[in-house]
Amino acid sequence: MPIIAESPPLIFGATPTPAPRPVTPTPPPIVTPVPSTPVPSPAFTPTPVTVPVNFVARHEQFIDRVDSLSACFKRVELTDFSDREFEDHSQVAMKDRYIAQEKDMFCSMQGVNVLTKTLRRLGEE
């Protein structure tokens, strides 16, 4: 007679012993490589920028002074700023696209916009 299934022996009145569980191998631990932090080469190391404490307040004065002038002005009109201060603040203002320079003339973008609107109105009349 063929064997259809295997089972532990039957013992009446006793609790059967459980069948042994197959042992599953534990998976090997997953090792995650830790990326190393690249050290920037000296050519790409940014230089720290030191800003004088009162630069921001003085720049606000510069912008206020520019706003008080006409749309375009020359350097000589800002007498309350030294040449170095004017150069520093005008560079920042140009970088921020607040003023533009054409030769020895500086124009505030706000003033140019007002002037452009005025010219358009005059052209429509």
Side-chain angles (χ1 to χ4, degrees):
M1 179 174 259
I3 300 174
I4 298 176
E6 288 185 23
S7 64
L10 296 175
I11 302 174
F12 295 102
T15 57
T17 58
R21 293 185 179 173
V23 177
T24 56
T26 58
I30 299 173
V31 178
T32 310
V34 177
S36 63
T37 306
V39 177
S41 65
F44 293 87
T45 304
T47 57
V49 177
T50 55
V51 179
V53 177
N54 63 347
F55 185 84
V56 174
R58 190 72 170 140
H59 190 67
E60 288 174 353
Q61 292 172 354
F62 178 83
I63 296 298
D64 290 342
R65 184 76 174 100
V66 167
D67 288 343
S68 71
L69 299 172
S70 59
C72 294
F73 59 94
K74 290 192 176 197
R75 158 65 185 114
V76 294
E77 294 179 58
L78 282 109
T79 57
D80 47 340
F81 289 90
S82 69
D83 288 339
R84 179 68 186 164
E85 282 182 312
F86 181 83
E87 183 180 324
D88 291 345
H89 293 291
S90 64
Q91 289 296 322
V92 171
M94 282 189 271
K95 187 81 169 170
D96 290 342
R97 298 177 190 240
Y98 196 81
I99 63 173
Q101 181 181 4
E102 180 63 34
K103 297 183 183 175
D104 66 338
M105 290 293 289
F106 295 88
C107 297
S108 72
M109 299 312 287
Q110 183 178 4
V112 169
N113 289 337
V114 169
L115 186 60
T116 303
K117 288 178 184 177
T118 303
L119 291 173
R120 280 189 188 142
R121 269 188 277 135
L122 291 175
E124 292 175 357
E125 292 178 356

